[in-house]
Amino acid sequence: MKQNKAVSVVMCTYNGASRHLREQLDSIFSQTVLPSEVVVQDDCSTDDTMAVLEEYAAKAPDGVAVRIYQNKVQQGINRNFFSAMRRARGELIAVSDQDDIWLPTKIEEQAREMEDGRLMMCVCRSEPFSETGAPVRYDRRCPNCNLVRLFYASMMGHCQMLRRTLLDYIPSEAEHPDIYRRTCYDVMTATAAAALDSIRLVDRVLVRQRRYEEAATYVKYDARRVRHADNAAFMVWYGIRNWHRVKPWMNAHFRARAEFLEWVWRKSMEKDAFMRARHADMEATPTADNRIFADGVRLLDAECRSGVGALMTLWRYYLKYRHVIFYTYERDPIAMLRALLHPFMQVYNYSYLVGKR
């Protein structure tokens, strides 16, 4: 079978022995292009996860090294994934959950996109499914991974293939504890890549995402989020009524993102200056010195404040980016109307921050 020596698959596990771990490993070992290694880091499982991993390490395809680590102290999702990714030896890191199913061409198609050496991240689509009756919803429209969109959502980790050097743009938990408390690792990696204007979508489903209520990332089905005029009207009414209760929590949430974005900008400029000093004739490295980043900083600044002035700024940028701020492209005048209503609808979306709706 073909193999891409540049690709490392990174998987984190926790009590996955009975959670379809074998099926996911089978899908990785059945790729049309195999990785050079599979790095698995277990977060103190108490079941037979380690035994399953050792079984698969012993029967891995020729040329695929399976390296297994187990934490002595439980680290949680963010620490575990970043620690595991930094153990990878390949130039490209394909992130894997323990319970999904990869389509056979996932590594091949994403690695092909990453042949553009300046690209920091390639993402694909994933389609949820359930064998337990857990409600799932899949939007078949083409998503976008614009920086402004990623302020309000993210490209899930299992969709990501990233260049290992992208980790240089991610602060440690000690350097930026607030972003670790308020977001997940895949939000940080996708936001950093988008800030560098260096993220690309493969518009194909390459992962089947298994959904069940015990999964760490499972979000309960919310009928209010289904696209419908009645739901939109309810969310606007809810947002106006609860604005003063929820907005302070939203301000703190977006302040962490704004500080993270500033960290990415500073690190990108430092890295660019360092590389140019060593290689005066080199091509420019990806930096956050671009128009979308500058507008993103202003938008997040408004999200961190309350009052009429902040609301006017939000409307300005929501209207400017109305075709990318939502999951997918919206035509005018619907896009303009949604942009104007978006600040109030966001209150409903972020009401989980205060613990109730």
Side-chain angles (χ1 to χ4, degrees):
M1 297 181 72
K2 295 180 181 179
Q3 186 175 40
N4 190 321
K5 295 290 187 181
V7 177
S8 297
V9 172
V10 172
M11 175 191 291
C12 288
T13 58
Y14 176 69
N15 287 348
S18 62
R19 296 294 184 190
H20 315 288
L21 176 58
R22 285 185 171 85
E23 196 169 3
Q24 172 67 319
L25 288 168
D26 284 339
S27 74
I28 293 171
F29 288 170
S30 300
Q31 291 288 295
T32 55
V33 172
L34 293 171
S36 62
E37 64 174 1
V38 178
V39 178
V40 188
Q41 187 158 299
D42 182 74
D43 204 20
C44 301
S45 290
T46 57
D47 65 357
D48 294 331
T49 293
M50 291 298 292
V52 172
L53 295 175
E54 289 166 3
E55 170 194 334
Y56 272 78
K59 63 179 184 181
D62 290 343
V64 179
V66 178
R67 300 195 288 123
I68 305 169
Y69 304 89
Q70 187 172 42
N71 299 328
K72 295 181 179 179
V73 178
Q74 198 168 58
Q75 296 187 15
I77 293 175
N78 285 344
R79 290 180 186 174
N80 202 29
F81 262 107
F82 279 127
S83 174
M85 285 192 279
R86 288 188 169 92
R87 292 185 186 273
R89 297 169 180 167
E91 179 189 357
L92 305 176
I93 297 173
V95 181
S96 170
D97 289 335
Q98 66 179 4
D99 46 15
D100 297 330
I101 301 173
W102 284 9
L103 271 65
T105 60
K106 182 180 188 295
I107 289 178
E108 180 178 5
E109 294 194 44
Q110 290 193 284
R112 185 185 304 129
E113 291 293 327
M114 295 297 289
E115 288 176 1
D116 178 351
R118 296 187 69 250
L119 191 65
M120 284 292 186
M121 178 178 287
C122 169
V123 295
C124 66
R125 301 178 70 166
S126 72
E127 184 173 10
F129 74 100
S130 173
E131 298 169 329
T132 64
V136 296
R137 183 166 61 93
Y138 177 56
D139 193 330
R140 296 185 180 278
R141 299 171 301 162
C142 180
N144 74 78
C145 45
N146 180 280
L147 175 64
V148 172
R149 167 64 187 168
L150 295 183
F151 289 159
Y152 307 99
S154 186
M155 303 304 297
M156 293 174 288
H158 63 258
C159 294
Q160 299 181 7
M161 178 178 284
L162 58 104
R163 200 166 299 280
R164 195 180 188 285
T165 51
L166 181 64
L167 299 177
D168 296 341
Y169 299 86
I170 307 295
S172 68
E173 188 171 3
E175 291 170 313
H176 199 328
D178 206 24
I179 195 68
Y180 280 78
R181 285 196 298 267
R182 296 180 183 275
T183 64
C184 287
Y185 76 95
D186 51 2
V187 173
M188 290 183 252
T189 52
T191 301
L196 300 171
D197 196 20
S198 192
I199 183 171
R200 187 178 299 165
L201 171 71
V202 174
D203 188 21
R204 277 174 44 78
V205 173
L206 296 178
V207 180
R208 298 188 67 219
Q209 182 192 25
R210 195 185 304 271
R211 298 283 73 196
Y212 51 94
E213 293 185 1
E214 296 82 9
T217 57
Y218 181 76
V219 177
K220 289 184 177 180
Y221 178 78
D222 183 358
R224 290 290 185 186
R225 296 177 65 86
V226 177
R227 287 171 56 85
H228 193 279
D230 289 347
N231 285 341
F234 171 83
M235 292 172 75
V236 171
W237 169 83
Y238 181 97
I240 293 172
R241 184 173 181 178
N242 292 275
W243 180 272
H244 293 293
R245 181 176 68 91
V246 178
K247 196 65 170 72
W249 294 78
M250 292 175 60
N251 292 349
H253 173 84
F254 284 109
R255 189 171 297 112
R257 299 228 176 174
E259 291 170 355
F260 172 76
L261 210 61
E262 180 183 355
W263 200 96
V264 173
W265 180 85
R266 186 170 61 251
K267 181 59 65 173
S268 75
M269 301 308 290
E270 290 174 357
K271 193 175 181 69
D272 185 61
F274 174 77
M275 295 301 291
R276 286 179 180 277
R278 295 186 64 184
H279 307 283
D281 59 343
M282 69 171 287
E283 281 189 48
T285 58
T287 72
D289 187 16
N290 55 70
R291 175 61 63 85
I292 183 69
F293 179 86
D295 283 350
V297 168
R298 298 185 187 101
L299 174 55
L300 282 185
D301 177 68
E303 291 283 16
C304 295
R305 297 183 286 112
S306 301
V308 175
L311 181 58
M312 297 291 287
T313 301
L314 289 178
W315 274 332
R316 174 189 171 191
Y317 286 107
Y318 286 171
L319 285 168
K320 180 175 181 178
Y321 288 99
R322 63 188 182 276
H323 296 308
V324 296
I325 198 171
F326 307 114
Y327 177 80
T328 190
Y329 177 84
E330 295 276 9
R331 293 183 178 180
D332 290 334
I334 297 298
M336 298 183 72
L337 177 61
R338 286 193 68 183
L340 292 172
L341 297 179
H342 196 56
F344 308 107
M345 298 176 77
Q346 285 291 92
V347 173
Y348 179 83
N349 292 334
Y350 285 95
S351 59
Y352 73 89
L353 293 171
V354 299
K356 63 180 180 179
R357 280 190 175 137

